[in-house]
């Protein structure tokens, strides 16, 4: 029993060294972060941060980018602020303040950003126009492996996800966005 408790203590110490970073400031992560990877998406739990030496000006804005950095300074994943919950302050002087932070995954940002496309152009140009709102958030196109052909698209005020799914079904494309804001788009025929 004591060995299990000691192991949990050691794991907790390793996680204490993890930080959340936004606005060029680092915030210590208090609790364990659970990261789950599937073939389509990476998901992670809410963050609990040490906010004891911070002020209201340090709170992140909605959809602001937050980077999770491990003890070696390596980026573990990127998220975008969904919501935050301030601690209840029961005493005038509170020694510890914790901030609970929920994050969107980079892939979930495709359900928030919208685009309108009404034109005939090469498929690669349509994809570039579709991804423009994500490029503005710092996303990068890691892979674009498609058969480039002229296409006509008429989609008004659709989410990036809806447009990518439409293109995926119509032109047999596979798309994915990982936890580092890297976008991959491949022709399904090329994958085989």
């Amino acid at each position: 029993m004591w060995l299990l408790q000691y192991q949990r203590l050691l794991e907790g110490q390793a996680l204490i060294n993890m930080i959340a970073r936004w606005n060029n400031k680092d915030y210590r992560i208090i609790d364990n972060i659970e990261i789950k990877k599937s073939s389509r998406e990476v998901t992670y739990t809410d963050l609990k941060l040490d906010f004891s030496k911070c002020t209201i000006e340090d709170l992140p804005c909605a959809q602001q980018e937050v980077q999770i950095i491990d003890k070696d300074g390596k980026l573990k994943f990127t998220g975008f602020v969904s919501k935050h919950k301030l601690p209840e302050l029961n005493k005038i002087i509170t020694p510890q303040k914790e901030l609970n932070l929920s994050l969107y995954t980079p892939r979930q940002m495709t359900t928030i950003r919208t685009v309108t496309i009404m034109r005939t152009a090469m498929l690669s140009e349509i994809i570039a126009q579709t991804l423009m709102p994500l490029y503005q958030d710092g996303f990068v196109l890691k892979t674009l492996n498609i058969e480039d052909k002229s296409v006509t698209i008429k989609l008004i005020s659709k989410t990036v996800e809806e447009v990518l799914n439409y293109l995926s079904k119509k032109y047999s494309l596979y798309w994915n966005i990982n936890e580092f804001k890297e976008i991959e788009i491949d022709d399904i025929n090329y994958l085989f």
Side-chain angles (χ1 to χ4, degrees), residues 1-15:
M1 183 70 175
W2 67 269
L3 184 61
L4 182 62
Q5 290 174 338
Y6 181 71
Q7 184 178 5
R8 285 183 182 159
L9 178 65
L10 289 177
E11 289 172 1
Q13 288 175 346
L15 292 170

Side-chain angles (χ1 to χ4, degrees), residues 98-150:
E98 295 174 354
L99 174 69
N100 290 321
L101 197 61
S102 298
L103 301 177
Y104 294 117
T105 64
R107 186 178 175 92
Q108 288 172 316
M109 288 301 285
T110 64
T111 64
I112 297 167
R113 301 292 186 244
T114 59
V115 67
T116 296
I117 303 174
M118 294 186 61
R119 68 185 186 129
T120 299
M122 297 303 286
L123 183 57
S124 60
E125 294 173 25
I126 298 294
I127 290 171
Q129 184 178 351
T130 302
L131 298 176
M132 192 57 63
L134 298 179
Y135 291 156
Q136 293 168 351
D137 288 327
F139 286 68
V140 294
L141 184 60
K142 182 180 175 186
T143 306
L144 180 62
N145 191 11
I146 60 167
E147 179 186 339
D148 210 9
K149 53 188 164 195
S150 181

Side-chain angles (χ1 to χ4, degrees), residues 60-182:
C61 303
Q63 299 176 12
Q64 182 170 2
E65 182 178 326
V66 175
Q67 295 179 331
I68 305 303
I69 313 290
D70 70 7
K71 64 181 178 181
D72 299 323
K74 183 180 176 189
L75 178 66
K76 295 301 282 180
F77 64 86
T78 302
F80 296 87
V81 176
S82 166
K83 62 183 176 180
H84 54 72
K85 181 182 175 196
L86 294 171
E88 292 183 21
L89 302 175
N90 298 329
K91 301 175 186 174
I92 294 174
I93 298 174
T94 305
Q96 274 193 320
K97 291 189 280 183
E98 295 174 354
L99 174 69
N100 290 321
L101 197 61
S102 298
L103 301 177
Y104 294 117
T105 64
R107 186 178 175 92
Q108 288 172 316
M109 288 301 285
T110 64
T111 64
I112 297 167
R113 301 292 186 244
T114 59
V115 67
T116 296
I117 303 174
M118 294 186 61
R119 68 185 186 129
T120 299
M122 297 303 286
L123 183 57
S124 60
E125 294 173 25
I126 298 294
I127 290 171
Q129 184 178 351
T130 302
L131 298 176
M132 192 57 63
L134 298 179
Y135 291 156
Q136 293 168 351
D137 288 327
F139 286 68
V140 294
L141 184 60
K142 182 180 175 186
T143 306
L144 180 62
N145 191 11
I146 60 167
E147 179 186 339
D148 210 9
K149 53 188 164 195
S150 181
V151 297
T152 301
I153 305 291
K154 293 181 183 177
L155 299 170
I156 300 171
S157 192
K158 300 288 184 187
T159 65
V160 171
E161 181 184 48
E162 289 173 320
V163 175
L164 288 174
N165 285 340
Y166 171 82
L167 295 173
S168 188
K169 289 176 187 168
K170 186 156 182 153
Y171 301 106
S172 300
L173 303 177
Y174 166 81
W175 68 275
N176 190 33
I177 299 176
N178 67 19
E179 68 271 26
F180 304 112
K181 302 190 310 182
E182 297 171 331

Side-chain angles (χ1 to χ4, degrees), residues 26-82:
D26 295 342
Y27 304 88
R28 186 173 60 89
I29 297 173
I30 297 171
D31 279 348
N32 190 359
I33 303 171
E34 192 173 314
I35 302 171
K36 295 180 184 176
K37 292 186 180 188
S38 70
S39 62
R40 291 292 286 164
E41 186 171 19
V42 174
T43 58
Y44 28 84
T45 57
D46 291 351
L47 308 177
K48 187 183 280 189
L49 307 173
D50 179 6
F51 214 64
S52 56
K53 297 178 183 175
C54 303
T55 64
I56 198 81
E57 287 83 25
D58 294 322
L59 286 174
C61 303
Q63 299 176 12
Q64 182 170 2
E65 182 178 326
V66 175
Q67 295 179 331
I68 305 303
I69 313 290
D70 70 7
K71 64 181 178 181
D72 299 323
K74 183 180 176 189
L75 178 66
K76 295 301 282 180
F77 64 86
T78 302
F80 296 87
V81 176
S82 166

